[in-house]
Amino acid sequence: MLLLADSGSTKTDWMLIKDGKEINRFKTVGFNPYFVDTTQVYNVLKEEFSEKFDLSGVDEVWFYGAGCSSEAKQAVINNALKQLFPLAHTEVEHDLLAAARALLGHEKGIAGILGTGSNSCLYDGKDVTESLFSLGYMFGDEGSGAHLGKTYINLHLKKRVPQELYEAFEKHCGYSPEDILTHIYKKPNPNRYLASFSVFIRKQIEHPFMQELVENCFDEYFTEQVSKFTGYQQVPFSFIGSVGYNFREQLEKAAARHNITIGRYMVSPMEGLMEFHQK
């Protein structure tokens, strides 16, 4: 059996495949090695997996994850997988490669991720040939859910948003400024917390202020990430992630301003990854 995983900072999608067919699919929390260690990963997965399938039947595991761009960070995840599946072949790769393989298969193009975090790469049909070091939600992740949330919260706390949006936020979320700052500076996973505000932004997307805010965030994404790749206007830009998908109208407008052609888009790469690995 083959076990595939696509992990972001918020959640991990898992698919179990036998004889070329999907036999089980489920979710766990996300495992970004910048925020978790091997013991945490092992303990969570041991409990989750023991209820869902026989671990001894798995022959191969491919884990694609946010933050898994270096050997050291890959080892955080892979050491847990090796404990869980001692007889299986296990591989841990960056989620950028998952996006490229799922979206583009063996075609050339730019693959992007627009979820809780963001990233992008240039792909030649086989390997990632150009990518940027991710600076995370604090200094990077342009166009991501965390970036959208951080941008809105910044303006909201400074009372620089239209009054009707300010009141709608108070009614929808009910967080005081102290609550927000405590979550960001004192509690775990501030990137997920910031990204959660993209739900409110989506509900208010018809407001011109919100449309401009979201388009500006995507403008920053194309400027700071995509435009850095060789020949970025000559190949299609395809993307994976709920934020890109849910705000694709604003994404397309920003892309047009940068003379970038939108190609394929997916909420999740799983079907594309299954197809790639079966081949």
Side-chain angles (χ1 to χ4, degrees), residues 13 27 37 39 45 47 61 66 70 82 104 121 204 251 255:
D13 291 318
K27 298 180 186 295
D37 59 30
T39 301
L45 292 185
E47 182 176 354
V61 182
S70 69
K82 287 177 179 178
L104 302 168
C121 67
Q204 301 293 332
L251 182 67

Side-chain angles (χ1 to χ4, degrees), residues 44 48 89 104 111 114 131 160 181 215-216 220 228 231 240:
V44 171
E48 291 279 350
H89 173 76
L104 302 168
L114 288 164
S131 62
R160 290 168 53 190
L181 295 180
E215 288 179 29
N216 287 342
E220 289 188 53
K228 306 304 181 185
I240 281 174

Side-chain angles (χ1 to χ4, degrees), residues 145-214:
H147 184 217
L148 267 63
K150 182 170 67 173
T151 301
Y152 178 81
I153 290 300
N154 181 15
L155 297 172
H156 180 89
L157 294 179
K158 294 174 181 176
K159 297 187 176 180
R160 290 168 53 190
V161 303
Q163 184 63 27
E164 59 271 23
L165 289 180
Y166 189 92
E167 293 174 358
F169 179 88
E170 296 293 299
K171 182 178 180 180
H172 175 83
C173 299
Y175 295 125
S176 69
E178 292 76 14
D179 291 334
I180 293 172
L181 295 180
T182 298
H183 270 89
I184 293 171
Y185 291 113
K186 297 291 187 180
K187 295 189 177 182
N189 303 310
N191 57 329
R192 296 184 198 174
Y193 178 70
L194 288 169
S196 70
F197 294 112
S198 64
V199 176
F200 170 73
I201 295 171
R202 177 62 183 164
K203 287 185 176 181
Q204 301 293 332
I205 195 59
E206 296 303 319
H207 196 291
F209 180 91
M210 283 302 200
Q211 292 187 23
E212 183 178 1
L213 182 148
V214 173

Side-chain angles (χ1 to χ4, degrees), residues 2-263:
L2 167 66
L3 181 63
L4 293 177
D6 170 56
S7 183
S9 295
T10 303
K11 64 179 177 63
T12 304
D13 291 318
W14 299 86
M15 181 185 288
L16 194 61
I17 301 167
K18 184 176 182 179
D19 299 327
K21 296 181 180 179
E22 174 190 336
I23 61 172
N24 198 356
R25 187 187 295 218
F26 51 93
K27 298 180 186 295
T28 65
V29 296
F31 300 106
N32 187 320
Y34 281 93
F35 305 125
V36 298
D37 59 30
T38 296
T39 301
Q40 289 174 291
V41 178
Y42 174 80
N43 288 338
V44 171
L45 292 185
K46 182 180 181 181
E47 182 176 354
E48 291 279 350
F49 288 171
S50 62
E51 301 175 355
K52 294 179 172 65
F53 61 91
D54 179 10
L55 276 65
S56 65
V58 175
D59 306 298
E60 193 173 349
V61 182
W62 281 85
F63 182 102
Y64 297 92
C68 297
S69 55
S70 69
E71 290 185 7
K73 294 304 180 185
Q74 290 168 356
V76 171
I77 307 298
N78 209 14
N79 288 340
L81 295 176
K82 287 177 179 178
Q83 292 179 58
L84 288 161
F85 305 99
L87 301 180
H89 173 76
T90 62
E91 292 274 356
V92 177
E93 295 284 357
H94 199 282
D95 57 352
L96 273 177
L97 184 59
R101 286 177 169 178
L103 289 163
L104 302 168
H106 296 287
E107 301 294 324
K108 296 179 180 179
I110 294 173
I113 296 172
L114 288 164
T116 300
S118 72
N119 214 328
S120 56
C121 67
L122 185 64
Y123 180 69
D124 67 359
K126 182 180 178 182
D127 297 310
V128 172
T129 57
E130 295 182 28
S131 62
L132 302 173
F133 182 74
S134 176
L135 299 180
Y137 78 97
M138 184 69 74
F139 302 115
D141 276 355
E142 297 86 3
S144 68
H147 184 217
L148 267 63
K150 182 170 67 173
T151 301
Y152 178 81
I153 290 300
N154 181 15
L155 297 172
H156 180 89
L157 294 179
K158 294 174 181 176
K159 297 187 176 180
R160 290 168 53 190
V161 303
Q163 184 63 27
E164 59 271 23
L165 289 180
Y166 189 92
E167 293 174 358
F169 179 88
E170 296 293 299
K171 182 178 180 180
H172 175 83
C173 299
Y175 295 125
S176 69
E178 292 76 14
D179 291 334
I180 293 172
L181 295 180
T182 298
H183 270 89
I184 293 171
Y185 291 113
K186 297 291 187 180
K187 295 189 177 182
N189 303 310
N191 57 329
R192 296 184 198 174
Y193 178 70
L194 288 169
S196 70
F197 294 112
S198 64
V199 176
F200 170 73
I201 295 171
R202 177 62 183 164
K203 287 185 176 181
Q204 301 293 332
I205 195 59
E206 296 303 319
H207 196 291
F209 180 91
M210 283 302 200
Q211 292 187 23
E212 183 178 1
L213 182 148
V214 173
E215 288 179 29
N216 287 342
C217 287
F218 288 142
D219 268 328
E220 289 188 53
Y221 175 69
F222 289 121
T223 298
E224 298 297 329
Q225 296 195 41
V226 179
S227 69
K228 306 304 181 185
F229 300 132
T230 304
Y232 73 95
Q233 293 172 321
Q234 278 70 59
V235 293
F237 166 78
S238 299
F239 65 91
I240 281 174
S242 59
V243 171
Y245 183 82
N246 288 327
F247 296 99
R248 57 192 180 278
E249 180 180 339
Q250 289 72 39
L251 182 67
E252 289 171 358
K253 289 180 180 179
R257 290 198 287 271
H258 292 265
N259 295 317
I260 292 171
T261 302
I262 299 290

